[in-house]
Amino acid sequence: MFEKVLIANRGEIALRIHRACREMGIRTVAVHSEADAKAMHVRLADEAVCIGPSRSTDSYLNKSAIISAALITGADAIHPGFGFLSENADFAEMVESHGITFIGPSAEQMRKMGDKITARQAAVEAGIPVTPGSPSLDTVEDAKKWAAKIGYPVIIKAKDGGGGKGMKVAFSDEDIHEAYTMARAEAKAAFPSDVVYMEKYLQKPRHIEIQILADKFGNVVHLGERDCSIQRNNQKVIEESPSPALNQEQREEIGEIVRKAIAKIGYQNAGTLEFLFEDGKFYFLEMNTRLQVEHPITEAVSGIDIVREQIRIASGAALGYKQQDIHFNGHAIECRINAENPETFAPCPGKITEWHAPGGLGVRVDSEIYSGYTIPPFYDSMIAKLIVHGQTRNSALMRMRRALEEFVIDGVSTTIPLQQDIISQTEFIDGIYNIHWLEDYMRKRNMDK
Ligand code: MV4
């Protein structure tokens, strides 16, 4: 087992990783930018190294500064968290080449499963259902040919795309030329590669993702699903587990398909397979080869500490349990709390004058915020995650409503009012929503204003 882990991240996930290490008797090294010198995990860590100025590119994305900090402090492993360098295969490779363990999949697995096209190919070969789709498209003629095969509507996506950028939908031959050229142009401007491909466009899907854990001995388990359909601008707002849209049979079927596929692919450590779900069918979208923001709702329902398991797997330990040993209990919901103007969603950094987090049975708040802390303007606006667990979805909803009321964050505006609004909507309460619901609801609400 590792003696010392360097946490190559910031904010609530850095504290989360520190907590897992602490409970395992592992010493921690916090790396931070100048702006984060006063962060909670920096105070709590055994050692802290300032790795650069505030901008992410000069600090949390600075590979050599992070590796130097690990060498200087004698850390034997690095946990990348999510975002930043967590899915950067070159970084994983550099870490390992310095004799330090990267807590995550191998660089090779990250490249294979982190690339949308090779991941789709691996999924098809491993028996995971995918949307009808094309290989990379070199010309508009290719696009027309494949659109005829797949059938309109189709969506053209950038291979290196993300967060909805570089995606264009075509409903007929009239649209295909513009959709293809726009998608390629956007890809060229925004991503390393301008390679694009095509899929059958699903009009009202839900976004459901499956959490897996795989050790170095071929043992793989799934930890159920998370419904992440409540999103706006490709930013998740509320996530829940299990999904109100799945029955037990569907859950077990897709779980088993994914478990067997991951074992066949040979993927190791934590990972999440993203699906679109429509009319009772799953369609593989892409795989995330890292820990995800919303992992706590899976922890609440499965009782498994995912960060602890990541560290154990990376240190060479076996999972020590089989799929049948995992029992899912109750229902969990996560509301992301952002320091943003709830109307315009403009980031709203500043000094927190009053902070009181909700508590009580089945309430968890993951955050680094404390009274008197000043939120720096350089990073992501998410400042806390409120996770509640209840025996049923209704009790979890009641608990979330109560917890949101208790939350006191003075000094900045937050998205708490939006969260309270969403969970009081009938469609949400009835669990009847798809990936477009929130944006449609907000358009209607603003129109009514
Ligand atoms: C799709 C889709 C419909 N049909 N693919 C958005 C970003 C990336 N995760 C893939 N995305 C989508 N791919 C097909 N074939 C709709 C989306 C999509 C979406 C997916 C999940 C969560 C939120 C979304 C918001 C807009 C579009």
Side-chain angles (χ1 to χ4, degrees):
M1 183 39 78
F2 306 124
E3 308 252 309
K4 190 185 281 189
V5 167
L6 181 145
I7 302 164
N9 214 301
R10 66 174 302 281
E12 60 88 11
I13 197 60
L15 180 54
R16 165 75 186 88
I17 296 164
H18 168 81
R19 285 169 168 164
C21 292
R22 208 96 190 95
E23 292 171 8
M24 297 169 82
I26 299 171
R27 295 218 301 283
T28 53
V29 178
V31 291
H32 63 88
S33 67
E34 287 163 4
D36 283 335
K38 299 260 179 293
M40 178 95 88
H41 77 285
V42 172
R43 294 166 179 243
L44 293 172
D46 297 279
E47 294 169 78
V49 180
C50 180
I51 50 171
S54 308
R55 276 175 356 146
S56 297
T57 41
D58 300 330
S59 49
Y60 300 106
L61 293 171
N62 184 335
K63 300 188 187 84
S64 44
I66 292 168
I67 291 176
S68 304
L71 294 172
I72 291 166
T73 55
D76 29 27
I78 291 179
H79 196 305
F82 47 64
F84 295 126
L85 297 169
S86 62
E87 296 190 286
N88 185 307
D90 294 342
F91 178 64
E93 227 154 45
M94 275 174 78
V95 168
E96 294 283 337
S97 67
H98 283 82
I100 299 165
T101 301
F102 177 83
I103 297 174
S106 68
E108 184 217 350
Q109 282 296 339
M110 205 185 278
R111 287 194 178 95
K112 177 178 173 187
M113 298 314 287
D115 175 282
K116 286 179 180 52
I117 294 190
T118 50
R120 263 176 75 89
Q121 283 158 353
V124 169
E125 284 156 25
I128 295 177
V130 296
T131 51
S134 78
S136 53
L137 303 168
D138 299 330
T139 64
V140 180
E141 296 323 309
D142 278 351
K144 276 196 177 128
K145 183 187 81 175
W146 278 98
K149 260 188 198 170
I150 293 169
Y152 286 106
V154 295
I155 183 169
I156 296 178
K157 295 181 174 180
K159 171 175 89 76
D160 293 342
K165 285 204 295 287
M167 283 175 16
K168 291 289 172 226
V169 181
F171 287 90
S172 72
D173 270 342
E174 280 69 61
D175 307 336
I176 197 73
H177 185 282
E178 183 187 353
Y180 176 79
T181 36
M182 290 284 284
R184 271 209 97 153
E186 260 186 49
K188 200 177 188 70
F191 310 120
S193 134
D194 74 335
V195 168
V196 295
Y197 66 101
M198 182 188 287
E199 292 179 359
K200 177 78 184 166
Y201 181 64
L202 302 175
Q203 311 229 25
K204 296 183 176 309
R206 296 179 85 117
H207 183 203
I208 292 181
E209 56 186 30
I210 310 262
Q211 178 74 57
I212 56 104
L213 283 174
D215 66 15
K216 295 180 190 264
F217 309 96
N219 302 307
V220 185
V221 294
H222 75 80
L223 299 183
E225 81 275 2
R226 297 186 287 258
D227 193 321
C228 305
S229 306
I230 303 294
Q231 61 81 38
R232 59 175 293 281
N233 288 0
N234 269 278
Q235 295 290 325
K236 294 166 182 167
V237 174
I238 295 181
E239 305 102 336
E240 64 178 307
S241 177
S243 166
L246 295 192
N247 61 43
Q248 195 51 24
E249 191 190 341
Q250 289 165 322
R251 175 167 300 115
E252 285 169 4
E253 187 188 7
I254 193 65
E256 204 46 29
I257 289 171
V258 163
R259 211 176 60 71
K260 292 197 173 99
I262 289 299
K264 195 172 163 193
I265 291 167
Y267 182 86
Q268 292 173 2
N269 212 281
T272 297
L273 287 87
E274 289 192 21
F275 291 86
L276 294 177
F277 182 73
E278 190 171 74
D279 298 335
K281 290 194 190 69
F282 285 93
Y283 303 89
F284 174 74
L285 263 187
E286 52 199 78
M287 181 171 186
N288 299 321
T289 60
R290 58 166 157 74
L291 178 68
Q292 296 207 216
V293 170
E294 57 271 23
H295 76 275
I297 58 175
T298 300
E299 297 188 320
V301 169
S302 69
I304 289 182
D305 180 330
I306 295 174
V307 174
R308 173 191 168 82
E309 293 308 289
Q310 283 190 290
I311 296 168
R312 288 185 62 248
I313 290 168
S315 75
L319 285 181
Y321 43 83
K322 294 272 180 217
Q323 190 65 51
Q324 66 260 27
D325 303 321
I326 297 174
H327 305 291
F328 301 104
N329 168 44
H331 198 101
I333 304 172
E334 175 182 86
C335 283
R336 298 189 187 199
I337 312 294
N338 298 346
E340 286 170 353
N341 177 310
E343 299 304 323
T344 64
F345 296 96
C348 173
K351 188 178 172 88
I352 302 283
T353 50
E354 195 67 51
W355 168 266
H356 174 78
L361 177 64
V363 176
R364 166 177 171 179
V365 174
D366 275 19
S367 179
E368 277 218 300
I369 303 288
Y370 52 85
S371 281
Y373 176 71
T374 299
I375 304 169
F378 310 101
Y379 312 110
D380 184 79
S381 60
M382 186 176 78
I383 56 172
K385 297 176 325 201
L386 171 54
I387 301 101
V388 303
H389 178 266
Q391 284 313 307
T392 64
R393 184 169 188 267
N394 283 340
S395 57
L397 269 173
M398 288 304 287
R399 187 159 278 164
M400 181 59 85
R401 187 168 298 139
R402 185 272 293 170
L404 283 167
E405 279 167 7
E406 266 181 46
F407 223 143
V408 175
I409 306 177
D410 289 346
V412 296
S413 40
T414 75
T415 49
I416 288 176
L418 171 68
Q419 301 285 16
Q420 292 174 307
D421 187 350
I422 294 171
I423 68 169
S424 63
Q425 296 306 312
T426 313
E427 294 98 330
F428 183 80
I429 292 167
D430 296 344
I432 301 164
Y433 54 79
N434 62 47
I435 61 171
H436 304 297
W437 179 82
L438 179 55
E439 287 164 345
D440 294 348
Y441 168 64
M442 291 175 67
R443 252 194 301 279
K444 277 202 292 286
R445 194 186 61 166
N446 290 342
M447 241 117 80
D448 295 348
K449 264 230 155 87

